[in-house]
Amino acid sequence: MRWFSASSAAGKSAVLAASVLSGTAYSTPVSSTSRHVSARAFPDSPTGGYTPGVVECPSGNLVRAASGGISNEETEWVKERHKETNVALTSFLNRASMVDFDIATFLNDGKETPNIGIAFSGGGYRAMLNGAGVFAAVDSRTTGANKAGHMGGLLQSATYIAGLSGGSWMMGSLVVNNFTTVEKLQNDKDLWDLKNSILAPEGALSILDTTSYYNELRNQVDDKRKAGFDPSLTDYWGLALARQFISNNGGAAVTYSSISKTDTFKKAQMPFPIVVADGRHPGELVISTNATVFEFNPFEMGSFDPTLYAFSKLQYIGTNVTNGKPDDSKRCIRGFDNAGFILGTSSSLFNIGLLNLQSYGLTGILKKFAESVLGTLNKNDADIADYSPNPFHGVHPEINPSANTRELTLVDGGLDGQNVPLHPLIQPARALDIIFAVDSSADVVNWPNGTSLVATYERSLSPMQNRTAFPAIPDVNTFVNLGLNKRPTFFGCDAKNITKMESAPYPPLIVYIPNHPYTTYSNTSTMQMKYERSQRNDIIQNGYNVMTMGNGTVDAEWAACAGCAIVRRGEERRGLTQTDQCKKCFQRYCWDGTRASTVPKESVVEQYSILIASKTSGANRKKKTSKTVSQKAEKLKETLTSVFNCGPEDDDGDGVIEKEEKGFSACASRKMSSRVKDATKKVTESIGLRLRARSGQQERRRRVRRRSMRN
């Protein structure tokens, strides 16, 4: 696949610029060869289906205190993983063209191997697709990813990956399906097919198929209820997600803990995958300073937070326990940790979509049927996932607010403001050197502006931090005014400037990777549930270019600069001085503490209209020196003027012609909005006509049948 494209050049500028106003992206068709991805994680539920089953309990406690750090199983796994990452990182750094840096000596001096993590933010399908592009960019198995200027091999060099909401869909789908590649999932016949919403998978007119779909979901959830468990909307949401992301029609018996039993994981040939969610009592408000952040990994579920500080064996959640001991040693539960249910938990905010089915194409009889399926559930707590019986009942009652209840409810991991799942990766017990933070949040007009990093930094200053430290992060206005929301930025470049507990390791350096347009406007709405194949592939391609900075055409030394960031903590521990190349890289990419907190003068639309012109001029494979950035921007405005009949105007009614770009953008925005409304009206009318036509046909058939019966 050719990952970088010049498809956003002058001929398509009008569509590109209009798309940022409407929140959609321009589509470039790509070839798609159908394949099937093989399932990797096991159907580990003892019932052979979605319902958890009874098994005999293992010896010992099911819960441990977090005071011992990570689990023994994870500790041993990490040792094996570092043997793999050491080889992969040597290859990556050599390809990155680091100058005057002795890679072999650094990585083989008997000291700590650089410990790398990658975090993929939430943000629905936008985050899933942008994250997929980044994942493809850092995966050495992706076609062309190991060429000069690319970032292939960084994934193979990473010890940990973490996902939240849409980021967890992407990560979970890749991990559960044979640790496959993004390319294979794009070309698979069934998976990652986003043309229809999973809430109305066959479309509004295919009543029979969609009815069967909801019937099957209801039967699976009813079976879980009959087995004695309390289902929630997340059960339906997770089952629906699984059909789009997990092979074998959603793999109803596939569990997240079964990842630990597969050969690829046991041989440490993949990173350690973590999914993040937040704890919340029904009706409680979640804010970043008081939420208990839970993680799910192949071995355990739990939290390092001071409001729990414990972990339970993931394989046996669903078991009635008191202070970690099964109430009945002959009766433990396995299969509760359904893979789709865990991915649904991290994105439970989307449960609300199930309560607004009409907006996703369900109407009339079909809508009533779907609502009847969901009608037995409590809609006042629509966003929760029910993990009762509480795995932490009786655990640490002096600090755990849920210790005295059998109930445990979790919610979308981004509801505490930390939409990039950094929390499990900044824990001192994991001792990471660097985290690549991929942010696909919808902070302003569906683009990120650093809000998530600010939330994590503020939490690190509160009592909830529990010995974690985090680099200083500026306010969101500074992000925008300094352009930190448009390019990679390093935070925490000098570990000595970060306050930490005396015995704790240096906190990781953060490499912030914000979603922004290179080849398409990827700022689609978080609640957009359908994507044509071409749009899906365009956003994935754009994510690839975000991570590679246009395959190094924006900055030919970007891969080397990323390498400089990777080795920095190791240099600091060894007392080594940076090379001249790395010093220059840090001057370019490190936030130096400058703040610019005034409200940005330009609107977000204007920033990204200018950005797409400059990025396309700098990132084309065939560099064109005859046109400057300003000339391309001028061409963009000329094209839009002809399409929308826009130009300089009095934007605020004071009788004075405003700055040209401001009036131009306002005009285009108004006319684009009008066109979208007109198009929406036409589609609605068309659907109405089709429904009425179908209804008329059905009525005529009924009349014919009645006449034949009388005869």
Side-chain angles (χ1 to χ4, degrees), residues 432-710:
L432 267 71
D433 291 307
I434 185 170
I435 304 171
F436 289 83
V438 182
D439 193 358
S440 307
S441 301
D443 300 325
V444 181
V445 197
N446 298 325
W447 298 111
N449 66 0
T451 294
S452 179
L453 263 61
V454 172
T456 301
Y457 173 59
E458 290 177 346
R459 196 177 201 268
S460 75
L461 304 177
S462 77
M464 289 294 287
Q465 53 87 15
N466 204 27
R467 299 181 69 248
T468 60
F470 199 72
I473 303 294
D475 59 274
V476 296
N477 287 339
T478 295
F479 265 86
V480 175
N481 287 326
L482 299 185
L484 309 183
N485 61 329
K486 300 178 182 178
R487 61 172 178 82
T489 303
F490 302 167
F491 295 98
C493 292
D494 188 344
K496 296 190 298 295
N497 292 335
I498 304 173
T499 303
K500 68 177 184 69
M501 300 290 289
E502 187 174 344
S503 59
Y506 286 129
L509 189 153
I510 305 297
V511 178
Y512 182 59
I513 309 290
N515 178 31
H516 60 283
Y518 271 79
T519 49
T520 198
Y521 282 97
S522 51
N523 62 324
T524 53
S525 168
T526 303
M527 302 307 292
Q528 180 174 328
M529 303 292 285
K530 298 190 292 185
Y531 288 78
E532 292 296 328
R533 180 178 291 268
S534 56
Q535 186 184 28
R536 179 200 70 176
N537 291 343
D538 283 350
I539 296 178
I540 292 174
Q541 179 174 305
N542 190 76
Y544 189 104
N545 292 314
V546 165
M547 188 63 201
T548 62
M549 296 196 76
N551 301 338
T553 53
V554 173
D555 181 353
E557 286 191 308
W558 163 237
C561 290
C564 292
I566 289 169
V567 303
R568 184 57 189 146
R569 287 292 184 262
E571 288 179 326
E572 290 173 310
R573 287 192 294 269
R574 294 166 173 80
L576 300 177
T577 302
Q578 283 184 303
T579 64
D580 288 341
Q581 182 191 42
C582 286
K583 287 178 181 178
K584 292 176 181 177
C585 282
F586 272 43
Q587 288 172 359
R588 287 206 297 279
Y589 289 105
C590 287
W591 178 59
D592 61 4
T594 300
R595 293 182 183 271
S597 301
T598 58
V599 176
K601 294 180 179 179
E602 290 182 313
S603 71
V604 174
V605 171
E606 288 172 329
Q607 294 170 41
Y608 282 93
S609 293
I610 295 170
L611 180 65
I612 193 71
S614 62
K615 287 297 184 192
T616 51
S617 67
N620 279 327
R621 285 189 171 189
K622 296 179 181 179
K623 295 183 179 180
K624 297 179 180 180
T625 56
S626 60
K627 289 189 176 181
T628 65
V629 172
S630 60
Q631 286 174 324
K632 282 199 174 249
E634 194 63 38
K635 178 65 177 176
L636 180 66
K637 286 187 283 186
E638 289 175 4
T639 306
L640 270 175
T641 299
S642 64
V643 173
F644 293 116
N645 193 26
C646 289
E649 60 179 282
D650 175 18
D651 190 56
D652 57 10
D654 61 1
V656 178
I657 297 298
E658 305 296 334
K659 182 180 176 182
E660 182 175 0
E661 290 84 355
K662 180 179 177 183
F664 171 79
S665 296
C667 167
S669 179
R670 285 196 304 273
K671 296 195 175 183
M672 183 64 193
S673 177
S674 176
R675 289 192 176 193
V676 169
K677 288 179 181 178
D678 290 343
T680 302
K681 182 179 179 182
K682 290 179 180 178
V683 169
T684 303
E685 291 173 348
S686 174
I687 291 174
L689 288 171
R690 292 168 68 190
L691 285 171
R692 287 193 291 275
R694 173 64 63 90
S695 178
Q697 291 170 0
Q698 291 172 341
E699 179 60 27
R700 285 192 293 274
R701 292 191 191 105
R702 283 195 291 268
R703 289 173 182 172
V704 170
R705 284 197 298 270
R706 285 197 295 268
R707 283 197 297 269
S708 64
M709 289 174 65
R710 286 197 297 268

Side-chain angles (χ1 to χ4, degrees), residues 138-345:
V138 297
D139 188 347
S140 62
R141 300 170 298 173
T142 301
T143 304
N146 300 321
K147 293 180 179 179
H150 294 246
M151 296 289 285
L154 181 58
L155 177 69
Q156 283 68 27
S157 305
T159 305
Y160 292 94
I161 51 177
L164 183 158
S165 191
S168 76
W169 307 345
M170 178 276 301
M171 183 191 76
S173 185
L174 287 156
V175 168
V176 171
N177 292 303
N178 200 29
F179 189 53
T180 188
T181 66
V182 170
E183 286 179 311
K184 286 183 179 179
L185 285 172
Q186 282 182 273
N187 293 328
D188 187 74
K189 180 180 178 181
D190 301 314
L191 299 178
W192 288 25
D193 182 359
L194 312 182
K195 288 183 298 211
N196 291 308
S197 165
I198 57 175
L199 302 183
E202 304 295 340
L205 300 180
S206 300
I207 293 178
L208 182 62
D209 290 341
T210 307
T211 299
S212 174
Y213 169 77
Y214 271 94
N215 251 330
E216 189 172 341
L217 296 186
R218 176 170 61 183
N219 291 339
Q220 289 176 310
V221 175
D222 280 350
D223 287 344
K224 182 177 179 179
R225 181 188 289 108
K226 291 173 184 176
F229 301 96
D230 295 327
S232 57
L233 276 171
T234 303
D235 286 278
Y236 287 97
W237 174 243
L239 282 166
L241 277 177
R243 288 165 181 259
Q244 213 163 45
F245 296 123
I246 299 175
S247 60
N248 296 330
N249 198 30
V254 172
T255 62
Y256 200 77
S257 59
S258 71
I259 294 170
S260 66
K261 302 178 181 181
T262 60
D263 287 340
T264 308
F265 183 85
K266 287 191 291 187
K267 294 177 182 178
Q269 294 174 343
M270 57 173 282
F272 193 82
I274 302 174
V275 175
V276 173
D278 289 337
R280 181 176 77 81
H281 295 298
E284 181 182 44
L285 176 67
V286 176
I287 56 175
S288 63
T289 55
N290 75 355
T292 301
V293 179
F294 283 79
E295 68 172 70
F296 298 88
N297 66 58
F299 297 124
E300 297 183 310
M301 163 199 178
S303 178
F304 284 104
D305 282 351
T307 46
L308 180 58
Y309 210 48
F311 286 85
S312 176
K313 292 182 184 296
L314 181 62
Q315 185 178 7
Y316 295 104
I317 64 171
T319 302
N320 277 296
V321 296
T322 300
N323 197 21
K325 294 183 179 180
D327 294 349
D328 182 348
S329 63
K330 301 294 185 182
R331 187 180 176 83
C332 276
I333 298 297
R334 210 175 72 217
F336 192 101
D337 64 312
N338 173 270
F341 184 59
I342 287 178
L343 300 184
T345 299

